[in-house]
Amino acid sequence: MAMPVTVVFFALLGLSVGSFLNLCIDRLPAGKSIVSPSSHCDNCGQSLKAADLVPLFSYVWLKGSCRYCHARLPIRLPIVEIVAAITFTLLVLRYGLSFHLATLAIYAVLFLLIFFIDLEQKLILNKVVLAGAALAIVFSFFDPAFEQFWPRIGPGFTLSALLGGVSGFTILLLPYLISRGGMGAGDVKLAGLIGLVCGFPLVFVALLVGIIAGGLAALFMLVSQLAKRKDAIPFGPFLALGAMITLIWGDQIFQWWWTLGI
């Protein structure tokens, strides 16, 4: 069990990471550098000072507006920071200080980035998916996360990751080919990344959770008339959500699922 000080540290770290994620969400889809120029107001162009960039607190203190031109800031800014803080807190409570925690924190950052970019832009960036896939393959050699499903012999961890990646990619490739545009190619690539990260057989948990979440959200939006039947609802956020839930509780969900014999 993580110490209270450690939990608080990771919550604050999550807030800071969320602030950086907001910058990435704004710039990566536009092909802009995340290094330069420095943070500035998109409306007036004024460079932001340190006091303007304190995660969450600056947004609350400034009442959600720019200090200089008073333009409204997106509500997405504090939401991303809070979600990142909650995610980091859950991870440290679940796994404590470990190498596995470090790898899962990196994966969580990638999935949060994918979640919010696809939600806003309906776009899953190849550069993010490919970077995540490369990291997942490298981490699979060193992270003993899959030991409960695969013997710790030779490249067992890598085998689990590769099987997961192939399974995830194949599972969504078929509906992609059948739907003829109803599902994006980015969703298929994302499913492959999820398989590499979660491994085999947890990839099935991640995809199932994502599919169920997406189906329930689509049903709710249709019933509440927030969306029409022909409206395109991005699937990537729900796949990313399924992956993040699996990163935290995947083994428990799988054991429960296996016990039920489903």
Side-chain angles (χ1 to χ4, degrees), residues 5 44 50 90 113 157 165 190 193 205 209 216 218 233:
V5 174
C44 65
L90 290 173
L113 189 59
F157 304 151
L190 176 56
L193 170 60
V205 174
V209 171
L216 291 175
I233 300 175

Side-chain angles (χ1 to χ4, degrees), residues 56-183:
L56 185 59
F57 298 104
S58 290
Y59 186 93
V60 174
W61 179 258
L62 296 173
K63 298 180 181 179
S65 62
C66 173
R67 180 194 300 272
Y68 309 99
C69 69
H70 306 294
R72 294 296 300 174
L73 301 175
I75 189 62
R76 181 248 297 160
L77 300 179
I79 290 176
V80 172
E81 292 170 353
I82 292 171
V83 170
I86 292 173
T87 302
F88 273 48
T89 301
L90 290 173
L91 286 173
V92 74
L93 287 173
R94 178 71 175 85
Y95 296 102
L97 293 176
S98 62
F99 177 77
H100 190 44
L101 172 66
T103 62
L104 293 187
I106 293 173
Y107 292 148
V109 168
L110 289 171
F111 287 127
L112 286 172
L113 189 59
I114 291 169
F115 181 101
F116 285 100
I117 289 178
D118 196 28
L119 191 64
E120 284 192 356
Q121 306 288 339
K122 293 183 173 61
L123 181 66
I124 298 176
L125 299 178
N126 284 331
K127 64 182 78 175
V128 176
V129 173
L130 293 177
L135 286 173
I137 291 174
V138 172
F139 288 160
S140 69
F141 283 96
F142 305 101
D143 191 350
F146 306 127
E147 187 172 355
Q148 59 186 310
F149 299 114
W150 294 89
R152 192 170 184 174
I153 301 174
F157 304 151
T158 306
L159 178 60
S160 176
L162 292 177
L163 283 175
V166 171
S167 298
F169 186 86
T170 303
I171 289 171
L172 285 200
L173 178 62
L174 296 178
Y176 166 74
L177 295 174
I178 295 172
S179 66
R180 297 181 180 180
M183 175 180 291

Side-chain angles (χ1 to χ4, degrees), residues 7-25:
V7 174
V8 172
F9 171 80
F10 268 81
L12 295 176
L13 177 62
L15 285 175
S16 299
V17 169
S19 180
F20 176 69
L21 280 173
N22 276 315
L23 183 146
C24 294
I25 292 166

